[in-house]
Amino acid sequence: MNGIQEVTPGLGWREHYGDVGAFALAFPAGFQLEGTDRPGLAHFTEHMLMAPRDEHAYPYAQLEGLGCLLEAQTRRDHMIVAVSGPQPHLLQAIEMLIAHLVDPKRQSGTALQQAEIIHNEVLYKTRLAPWADTWRWCIPAPGAGIGVDHDPILAPALDGSAVYEDTWPEFAANHVRLERCSAAVVADSRLVSPDAVDSVLGPRTLPDPLAATLREEPTRIPCHEPTIGPNPLAAGDRSEIVLPVQANDLCGQSAALVAAKLVATAVAMVGNDFPAKVQYGLFDEWFSEQAPTVITVSLSAACDVTELEQQIPALLRTITDPHSLTQAITQLSDEWAARTKSPSTCARSMAWMLLGNRLGAPFAQLDPHLVERNVSAATVLRGL
């Protein structure tokens, strides 16, 4: 995320001279605002906002006519809407998107149609097999078994056939408001100027209640003593190492990623194998507002798990030396730069980070002691 700046309050910018630019809006309209009696309302609102207002105001088709792509996602604490496309048309696309978002009028029958789309979407995304490498196991808590690491991205779906046709406009009016959003642009300022984008957005200041909510003390995940050795409950037909994410904030997630990279390197040393694969959450998304409880390091079939269990306790005490730590941080920083290389992913990440006052280089303020705590809690889980 090098080269980014907050050009005006709530508007992030990254200068980009390529053919394609991107724009993203992040609203505080996630799952946590729904209330337990309204599961799926935020996701439903996202779908309704993206739906056509009438036969002449169809955002996907209109933006495609400009060569642009529209994307939208709902998460635990926010909703993101993004558009990317040719830079000469990007400002027009931004104006078109803003005009659509501020008009809640939708066609008759849209609610039922979007509910069916959501239902099919959730069924497709949750069709996971136990042997697939897209599920995670948690570290066993004292006196308890191992449970599946739940990822909130998919949930909750609409509750049965409920449709919030009459409720979503109020939810949108309260939470999907331009003055409450953060925005990010990745573009050439000679083609799309910050002043022009700021003019389209209008005056915006993140209100104090929102800032307090997003800057609250991060959730701390209880640490368990490492349990190196065979475990009666195992992750399907493969073995792996799991490391707890000790805190859900940016620093905690960064430390857990570095710890996993160090452990993967140590596993390669023991098994004389290539570095093991590090898997971060259900969809391998870095720096989400709701971090997974564990990061896993997969062990290859050629790995001698018995030997690893014997040697890894000693390795874990030595792999956090300054040189190894610097090397891991450099590797992950390069990977993060690659993950945010496209204008679209960069704009979405920037908008989300601005919304929670998290803007900056993820690994810049890394706490070595937190890395050591994560490494020391690494646990080997044997496959069946």
Side-chain angles (χ1 to χ4, degrees), residues 4-69:
I4 64 174
Q5 58 179 318
E6 190 172 6
V7 290
T8 61
L11 176 60
W13 196 276
R14 184 174 187 176
E15 196 71 17
H16 177 66
Y17 302 114
D19 296 331
V20 174
F23 169 78
L25 290 170
F27 298 95
F31 296 141
Q32 65 183 0
L33 292 176
E34 298 172 338
T36 56
D37 59 332
R38 302 185 299 176
L41 175 58
H43 191 192
F44 183 75
T45 299
E46 172 215 312
H47 276 251
M48 291 297 289
L49 286 170
M50 297 299 101
R53 302 198 304 277
D54 55 46
E55 61 272 17
H56 304 295
Y58 197 110
Y60 287 97
Q62 288 178 308
L63 290 168
E64 284 178 357
L66 298 175
C68 296
L69 174 67

Side-chain angles (χ1 to χ4, degrees), residues 15-288:
E15 196 71 17
H16 177 66
Y17 302 114
D19 296 331
V20 174
F23 169 78
L25 290 170
F27 298 95
F31 296 141
Q32 65 183 0
L33 292 176
E34 298 172 338
T36 56
D37 59 332
R38 302 185 299 176
L41 175 58
H43 191 192
F44 183 75
T45 299
E46 172 215 312
H47 276 251
M48 291 297 289
L49 286 170
M50 297 299 101
R53 302 198 304 277
D54 55 46
E55 61 272 17
H56 304 295
Y58 197 110
Y60 287 97
Q62 288 178 308
L63 290 168
E64 284 178 357
L66 298 175
C68 296
L69 174 67
L70 177 64
E71 302 172 273
Q73 300 172 327
T74 303
R75 295 292 187 262
R76 179 177 176 271
D77 74 353
H78 72 280
M79 176 190 301
I80 281 193
V81 181
V83 60
S84 58
Q87 293 216 40
H89 299 154
L90 187 60
L91 184 59
Q92 184 181 352
I94 293 172
E95 294 171 340
M96 190 178 296
L97 176 61
I98 295 299
H100 185 78
L101 288 174
V102 298
D103 186 351
K105 181 180 66 176
R106 296 297 180 267
Q107 293 177 298
S108 175
T110 298
L112 286 172
Q113 180 187 52
Q114 295 303 316
E116 181 65 21
I117 291 173
I118 292 171
H119 178 73
N120 292 333
E121 175 184 315
V122 172
L123 283 179
Y124 173 76
K125 288 182 177 179
T126 56
R127 194 177 295 128
L128 300 176
W131 54 85
D133 196 31
T134 50
W135 71 326
R136 303 290 93 197
W137 290 85
C138 294
I139 290 180
I146 303 172
V148 175
D149 184 25
H150 175 66
D151 191 299
I153 292 174
L154 297 174
L158 285 177
D159 186 13
S161 59
V163 177
Y164 299 114
E165 185 171 8
D166 299 324
T167 311
W168 81 267
E170 179 183 359
F171 184 87
N174 288 333
H175 305 297
V176 189
R177 293 160 42 187
L178 291 182
E179 67 269 22
R180 299 197 65 185
C181 78
S182 62
V185 181
V186 178
D188 183 343
S189 56
R190 297 169 300 181
L191 299 174
V192 185
S193 73
D195 288 344
V197 175
D198 213 34
S199 177
V200 174
L201 291 170
R204 291 170 309 108
T205 302
L206 295 180
D208 291 338
L210 171 63
T213 298
L214 292 176
R215 297 172 194 174
E216 63 187 2
E217 182 67 19
T219 302
R220 301 291 170 180
I221 301 173
C223 303
H224 307 303
E225 291 298 318
T227 306
I228 306 297
N231 195 299
L233 297 174
D237 60 354
R238 73 185 189 286
S239 300
E240 61 188 9
I241 297 175
V242 293
L243 301 93
V245 179
Q246 311 259 0
N248 283 351
D249 61 354
L250 203 60
C251 181
Q253 295 181 50
S254 300
L257 278 163
V258 172
K261 178 68 74 172
L262 293 171
V263 169
T265 302
V267 169
M269 293 170 58
V270 172
N272 193 25
D273 200 355
F274 292 106
K277 179 183 178 182
V278 176
Q279 182 74 22
Y280 186 77
L282 190 63
F283 293 105
D284 198 30
E285 289 197 8
W286 290 14
F287 309 122
S288 65

